[in-house]
Amino acid sequence: MTDSPLRLAVIAGSVRDQRMSRSVAEWAAFRAANAKTEVDLIDCAEADLPDDGGLRPGGSAESGVAARIDAADAYLIVTPEYNHSYPAGLKRLIDWHYREWMFKPATIIPYGVQGGLLAAEHLRGVFAELHVVTTRRVVGLTRPWEHLAAVGFAPPDPVGEAFDVAVHELTWWATTLRSARRDRPYGR
């Protein structure tokens, strides 16, 4: 049904103690939610994933979050940059799923001392392998810990405005690819 709300999964990519990803993901989920978008916040630190011994190419055993990833029409990936890449907990979440990600768009919201852009670039290649369209726009957050308030992450207005533009692009892709998955499913 084309008039049904888009389902957006916001994924908090870090599992470390005292992490920023949950605060940034909560901000992103709140800001992206509207009458036309249902938002589901998936936290890697809370994801129920089986032991890695069961990983298989092209899809593995069902995980505790597989249905939520599958139900999403699009993804906002909130990730820190650790050692010039994205964290292992996010890689585990991605690797445990295959079909669930396919032919959907993702916008990456990286963060770090320099904005986390290397993490975003590394994720693009991984998502390309899973048939995920990553949007051109990313919202690299430089030193987001400087914008923590009692209510959580509270960035300056230009960050919110850039986020809104990125979500607008993501929404276009999500609507387009949802129609394509329904009307012209990919096949060989």
Side-chain angles (χ1 to χ4, degrees):
M1 176 179 215
T2 57
D3 292 336
S4 64
L6 285 174
R7 294 170 309 240
L8 174 63
V10 178
I11 298 174
S14 177
V15 300
R16 289 185 179 178
D17 292 338
Q18 301 178 348
R19 62 204 168 105
M20 287 285 313
S21 68
R22 179 66 186 226
S23 295
V24 175
E26 287 172 351
W27 169 81
F30 179 79
R31 189 156 182 123
N34 60 51
K36 296 180 180 180
T37 307
E38 295 174 358
V39 177
D40 181 16
L41 177 56
I42 299 172
D43 191 334
C44 284
E46 299 169 357
D48 180 22
L49 299 175
D51 182 84
D52 285 351
L55 280 169
R56 300 292 178 263
S60 301
E62 192 77 12
S63 78
V65 294
R68 293 168 66 191
I69 293 170
D70 191 42
D73 293 307
Y75 310 100
L76 275 173
I77 310 295
V78 176
T79 183
E81 181 181 306
Y82 294 161
N83 300 321
H84 292 256
S85 194
Y86 58 95
L90 179 56
K91 182 70 164 124
R92 282 192 79 229
L93 181 79
I94 293 167
D95 286 351
W96 263 103
H97 307 93
Y98 184 75
R99 176 192 51 77
E100 295 88 349
W101 301 108
M102 293 177 72
F103 307 110
K104 298 175 186 178
T107 294
I108 303 166
I109 311 296
Y111 65 88
V113 174
Q114 301 297 326
L117 298 177
L118 290 173
E121 289 308 308
H122 286 179
L123 277 169
R124 288 182 189 279
V126 171
F127 278 131
E129 180 64 20
L130 297 170
H131 304 280
V132 173
V133 175
T134 54
T135 61
R136 178 188 156 283
R137 287 174 179 81
V138 300
V139 182
L141 305 174
T142 302
R143 301 177 185 270
W145 46 89
E146 294 177 356
H147 304 291
L148 281 180
V151 296
F153 182 60
D157 288 342
V159 171
E161 293 162 7
F163 177 84
D164 293 343
V165 171
V167 169
H168 180 74
E169 179 184 4
L170 179 66
T171 300
W172 183 88
W173 275 108
T175 303
T176 301
L177 291 174
R178 180 169 69 174
S179 294
R181 287 190 314 275
R182 182 193 62 230
D183 299 338
R184 296 174 311 284
Y186 178 80
R188 288 192 197 218

